[in-house]
Amino acid sequence: MTSLTSRTASEPPRSADLLVNEVVGVPAGVGAAARRARADAYDAWLARLLPARPGVALLAVGGLGRRQCAPYGDLDLVLVHAGVPGIDELAAALWYPIWDAGLRLDHSVRTVAEALSVAQDDVKVALGLLDARLVAGDPDLAETLVSSAADHWRRTAVRQLAPLRESSAARWQAHGELAHLLEGDLKEAAGGLRDVGILRAIATAGITDALRPAVHAAHLRLLDTRDALHQQVGRRIDRLLAQERDGVAALLGLRRTPSGTAEGGPPGAVPPQPAGAAPEQRPEDGDGDTLLRRVAGDARTVSHALDDAFRAADRLRSGRRRGADGRPLRRPVARDVVEHDGELVLARTAIGARPDASLSLRVAAAAATTGLPIARATCEWLAAYCPPLPTPWPAEARAALTTLLGAGAGMIPAWETCDRYGLIDGWLPEWTRLRSLPQHNPVHRFTLDRHLVQTAAEASRHTRDVDRPDLLLLGALLHDVGKGLPGDHSVVGAPIAQGIATRIGLPPAEAGLIGTLVRLHLVLPEVATRRDLSDPVTIARVAESVGDVTTLDLLYALVRADAAATGPAAWSDWKGRLVAELVARVRTTLDTGDVPAPPAPDPALVAGPLPVVHLTGDRVAVAAADRRGLLATVAGCLALHRLEVLAADASTVDGRALVQCRVQPRYGLAPDPVALSADLRRAVRGDVSVTQRLRGRALAARGAGARPRVVWHRDAATDAVLLELRAADAAGLLYRVTSALDAAGAQVRAARIATLGGDVVDAFYLVGGWPPEDERARLEAAVLAAV
């Protein structure tokens, strides 16, 4: 057969997808009907490629076997034979036209016995054969393999699921949780399409009804999303990249209305797009966030079902624990809750009696504290029959919520299980808005709802450090409740959190404290990293905002829990030291009414011949003859040695200019201290060669991104005004800005640099009073020009 990719020199090159459409006639489109149409097209084309031969059958596995072909998916084929001669030539005549058509092909040639032998040793092959379907050739041969593979799986599934779980865990570790990823792999990540395949295999083995309606619906939506992603990009791709989200959303009917809201219904209820239909609006009109929320919800449904299925397999493998009478053991663990066969179920007395409104919370608290899962039937019963909570909540419900939130890591799976069955919405109606809400800041590793739950779990580590651990736990759960609404989420969320606390039944003063925690939960880290902690005004203002030591302790614990729940990039030893220093100074002010005096300068800097250079850990200190521009010179020299400045202080003592900086390596490797010290000494003496290197390196490393902004803060310091620069991060930025301010006649006595992902918030303390409007405009222009 002539190669389908051969062409004359005058013919333009054609892409593989064009060849597939021309030769195979594979239709585009999104949805189940389009997937079946693609399978029909492949079936017809492959049947024409296979010569009629007794004892030979062509079977499709994978997506084609399931008749769920993605627009640019692979072909997975098995050529089964009964030991006929010339099978290699027959296989070559089949495979080469497929490759020539530009298709990716995973193929094998085996007898029935060989295929079953491989399946016995490789669980992935065993799962693949469960999807096997005859495309062309001997139907009896195909039926022998399909039925034998299914029978073998049913007999060995319980044993084979253990290694399958281990390999799945390694895959999840590599690809992450689809529910929480901004650019997740729809197939390989936890909760993705490959996990649905495992559920299908478990259902085939009869272990449990793993493919219940909610899982089936989630599976179809994930398939639709992958179809739309292929169609949007025009090639095979399983990772939902950020730049493709809006276009994919538009293809799925998730479009943004003129008001900025999404139409198409809630996640999981989006109208299907007709097969092959083109979007009526531009790709940018699609609502990518609604798509992310839908994918997250579907991935959670799949993951939760897989957890259930693996537990069912574990029970079958280990056998039920039985008492002396032969009946399964039941162990009471809490009021109305018993352990039965490794799961929590309701006591018989609770099912027979009229349930009280706090029952679902008490079951969740028992699950969190014991680490045992709640049985699916129990969750379904609670969702159907547990009455709604009154307003305010009874004391028993509040106590159960506190127990649940304080259970630490055990809280997370218990909360997720209750959320899967709609119980959380009954406790907190606001949760519907928060569920699966994406957080686009790269520092965050979870969706908003999971971040809140994780923060409460992390807060349980600090309950012994505060006077009101119950308020800490509730504040942790609600601290970001304002996200997703217009405005500053801390300010917007405070009255919402206070209203929830009131509905739960807290007294007005305690509900007000919850609102205060939400409103101020960012104050400590922002002030610690962006303000001069030696300035009395900084400490006095934080003390005034916090009000008392009880609130300060709660905020300090909440800050640490929030950072731990956000991700490793949200906290550092340096940031932890700054926050601890701020808390200690504010505590002294609240206890005594006096603002602590600023620390005395390092004695080593105010004595001895000049210049003085000290390098100790993350601290760089320089003393030189008093002159303007010393801070800019030191900052530039540090940038030259690939050090990021986190904080800088400049002062003058007895005619000496002192600059002290906190630094960290920009690329993880510390510079040569000897070379750095030598360059600093030469630079502060005014060595022209060092200055030229500084300028060349800094000007070549400018950042990009959103338009930079300058914000002025009046009365933020005792002897200075505050100029805050918000811009993209870049090497040498501090050097350029301080040089520009120095050239403009401003004196910088301190700088604080806060990095937020790819952006920075740099605060510069300019000595003097509040400048007039034209002076502020001139300085602002100089700073923006330097950026």
Side-chain angles (χ1 to χ4, degrees):
M1 180 177 292
T2 304
S3 171
L4 297 173
T5 57
S6 62
R7 59 180 184 272
T8 65
S10 61
E11 290 180 309
R14 296 183 292 172
S15 65
D17 53 84
L18 284 177
L19 287 170
V20 171
N21 288 329
E22 292 173 8
V23 177
V24 186
V26 178
V30 176
R35 290 189 287 272
R36 289 192 298 269
R38 284 190 285 271
D40 291 341
Y42 280 125
D43 284 358
W45 182 63
L46 291 170
R48 293 194 298 270
L49 294 179
L50 182 68
R53 189 86 173 268
V56 177
L58 179 64
L59 278 70
V61 295
L64 180 57
R66 297 186 298 272
R67 296 174 60 80
Q68 295 171 346
C69 299
Y72 299 104
D74 295 350
L75 287 185
D76 298 316
L77 301 173
V78 181
L79 188 63
V80 184
H81 64 97
V84 299
I87 191 65
D88 291 339
E89 292 78 7
L90 180 63
L94 176 62
W95 305 146
Y96 275 97
I98 297 174
W99 287 322
D100 286 344
L103 288 166
R104 296 179 181 88
L105 173 65
D106 187 358
H107 62 90
S108 61
V109 181
R110 291 175 179 140
T111 65
V112 171
E114 289 170 344
L116 293 176
S117 176
V118 174
Q120 186 171 359
D121 297 331
D122 190 333
V123 67
K124 293 182 180 179
V125 174
L127 263 61
L129 288 178
L130 297 179
D131 298 325
R133 179 177 61 83
L134 176 66
V135 173
D138 189 335
D140 293 334
L141 186 64
E143 175 59 25
T144 299
L145 176 57
V146 170
S147 60
S148 299
D151 180 65
H152 172 266
W153 172 252
R154 292 188 187 96
R155 287 185 287 104
T156 63
V158 173
R159 172 175 55 82
Q160 294 202 69
L161 283 179
L164 179 59
R165 177 187 271 179
E166 292 179 5
S167 63
S168 297
R171 171 170 53 83
W172 300 334
Q173 181 69 27
H175 294 278
E177 294 182 68
L178 181 57
H180 304 301
L181 295 172
L182 294 174
E183 294 188 334
D185 190 307
L186 297 171
K187 183 177 181 180
E188 302 292 346
L193 293 169
R194 194 172 292 283
D195 285 348
V196 178
I198 299 175
L199 286 170
R200 187 168 48 252
I202 293 174
T204 301
I207 295 173
T208 184
D209 56 336
L211 291 177
R212 48 189 182 269
V215 176
H216 180 68
H219 181 211
L220 292 180
R221 287 190 293 267
L222 289 173
L223 288 172
D224 288 348
T225 303
R226 185 175 67 172
D227 287 355
L229 179 59
H230 282 206
Q231 189 164 315
Q232 168 71 16
V233 178
R235 59 181 175 85
R236 179 192 171 182
I237 179 174
D238 293 328
R239 187 172 297 280
L240 186 57
L241 299 176
Q243 64 265 28
E244 311 298 346
R245 280 198 298 260
D246 287 347
V248 171
L251 286 169
L252 293 171
L254 298 167
R255 293 193 175 90
R256 193 176 299 278
T257 64
S259 64
T261 59
E263 60 182 15
V270 178
Q273 183 78 2
E280 297 177 359
Q281 294 176 284
R282 299 169 300 170
E284 57 265 28
D285 292 329
D287 187 14
D289 275 6
T290 297
L291 172 63
L292 280 179
R293 296 186 74 169
R294 192 178 86 165
V295 168
D298 291 337
R300 280 172 155 168
T301 297
V302 172
S303 292
H304 190 268
L306 191 55
D307 287 342
D308 278 350
F310 277 137
R311 285 199 304 271
D314 290 342
R315 288 195 297 273
L316 281 177
R317 185 169 54 250
S318 60
R320 291 187 171 186
R321 292 183 299 165
R322 298 182 180 274
D325 58 358
R327 300 175 64 181
L329 288 175
R330 293 171 65 90
R331 177 177 66 91
V333 296
R335 178 189 160 198
D336 296 328
V337 186
V338 298
E339 177 190 356
H340 174 73
D341 212 10
E343 294 181 324
L344 295 186
V345 300
L346 293 174
R348 297 185 181 94
T349 54
I351 297 176
R354 179 181 177 85
D356 67 85
S358 64
L359 180 59
S360 61
L361 275 163
R362 289 190 282 110
V363 172
T369 54
T370 62
L372 295 172
I374 308 172
R376 192 178 101 197
T378 298
C379 292
E380 292 171 344
W381 191 94
L382 290 171
Y385 299 110
C386 193
L389 286 159
T391 301
W393 287 13
E396 190 173 26
R398 289 196 303 277
L401 177 63
T402 301
T403 301
L404 171 61
L405 297 179
M411 173 216 178
I412 298 170
W415 189 279
E416 288 278 338
T417 297
C418 292
D419 197 19
R420 287 294 90 197
Y421 292 92
L423 300 179
I424 305 297
D425 292 350
W427 310 338
L428 302 172
E430 297 82 359
W431 203 254
T432 302
R433 180 179 58 81
L434 307 175
R435 183 179 294 111
S436 298
L437 191 67
Q439 302 198 85
H440 293 286
N441 190 318
V443 172
H444 279 276
R445 56 177 172 166
F446 295 125
T447 54
L448 176 59
D449 57 333
R450 173 59 187 277
H451 170 69
L452 295 175
V453 173
Q454 190 76 33
T455 304
E458 298 290 346
S460 67
R461 303 172 184 270
H462 305 289
T463 51
R464 297 183 180 182
D465 302 333
V466 297
D467 292 337
R468 290 299 305 270
D470 56 333
L471 299 186
L472 169 62
L473 296 170
L474 185 59
L477 181 69
L478 302 178
H479 74 282
D480 278 345
V481 73
K483 282 189 175 179
L485 298 174
D488 183 335
H489 77 276
S490 300
V491 176
V492 173
I496 298 174
Q498 185 169 342
I500 293 172
T502 301
R503 188 173 70 241
I504 287 174
L506 294 184
E510 296 178 5
L513 181 51
I514 292 294
T516 299
L517 293 179
V518 172
R519 180 170 51 85
L520 300 180
H521 77 272
L522 294 178
V523 165
L524 294 181
E526 287 186 350
V527 170
T529 57
R530 301 183 189 179
R531 297 295 181 263
D532 181 5
L533 302 188
S534 64
D535 194 309
V537 171
T538 300
I539 306 305
R541 289 199 170 178
V542 174
E544 182 181 2
S545 298
V546 171
D548 56 69
V549 173
T550 296
T551 304
L552 178 66
D553 289 340
L554 288 170
L555 285 171
Y556 186 32
L558 177 55
V559 163
R560 289 175 285 170
D562 187 13
T566 298
W571 198 252
S572 64
D573 291 341
W574 168 78
K575 189 173 184 177
R577 289 196 300 270
L578 287 181
V579 173
E581 179 184 347
L582 173 62
V583 170
R585 288 175 173 272
V586 172
R587 183 189 303 279
T588 299
T589 300
L590 291 172
D591 285 340
T592 66
D594 298 325
V595 177
D602 186 346
L605 297 178
V606 296
L610 297 176
V612 178
V613 175
H614 283 172
L615 308 179
T616 55
D618 64 349
R619 180 173 172 268
V620 175
V622 176
D626 190 13
R627 66 177 178 84
R628 296 183 64 88
L630 182 61
L631 175 58
T633 300
V634 172
C637 196
L638 296 175
L640 185 65
H641 286 262
R642 296 181 174 86
L643 285 172
E644 290 182 329
V645 179
L646 305 174
D649 290 288
S651 59
T652 302
V653 177
D654 297 332
R656 290 176 173 238
L658 310 181
V659 173
Q660 301 181 71
C661 300
R662 293 286 182 180
V663 298
Q664 67 181 11
R666 189 170 187 86
Y667 301 110
L669 296 176
D672 179 3
V674 176
L676 174 59
S677 179
D679 274 351
L680 282 170
R681 292 177 184 277
R682 291 164 56 201
V684 300
R685 288 193 180 111
D687 190 314
V688 177
S689 64
V690 177
T691 305
Q692 289 174 340
R693 289 166 58 203
L694 300 181
R695 290 173 179 168
R697 174 69 61 87
L699 292 176
R702 292 180 181 273
R707 191 187 192 104
R709 289 183 57 210
V710 167
V711 179
W712 292 87
H713 296 273
R714 191 170 190 171
D715 300 328
T718 54
D719 60 347
V721 296
L722 197 62
L723 182 152
E724 196 172 75
L725 170 65
R726 302 173 184 179
D729 190 16
L733 180 61
L734 179 62
Y735 166 62
R736 295 198 304 272
V737 174
T738 50
S739 296
L741 288 170
D742 180 62
Q747 181 181 350
V748 180
R749 75 157 173 80
R752 294 291 181 273
I753 288 75
T755 303
L756 309 171
D759 292 337
V760 293
V761 178
D762 292 354
F764 299 92
Y765 284 78
L766 309 183
V767 176
W770 183 251
E773 183 176 351
D774 58 342
E775 179 67 7
R776 294 199 308 274
R778 188 178 67 85
L779 294 175
E780 183 173 330
V783 168
L784 294 177
V787 174

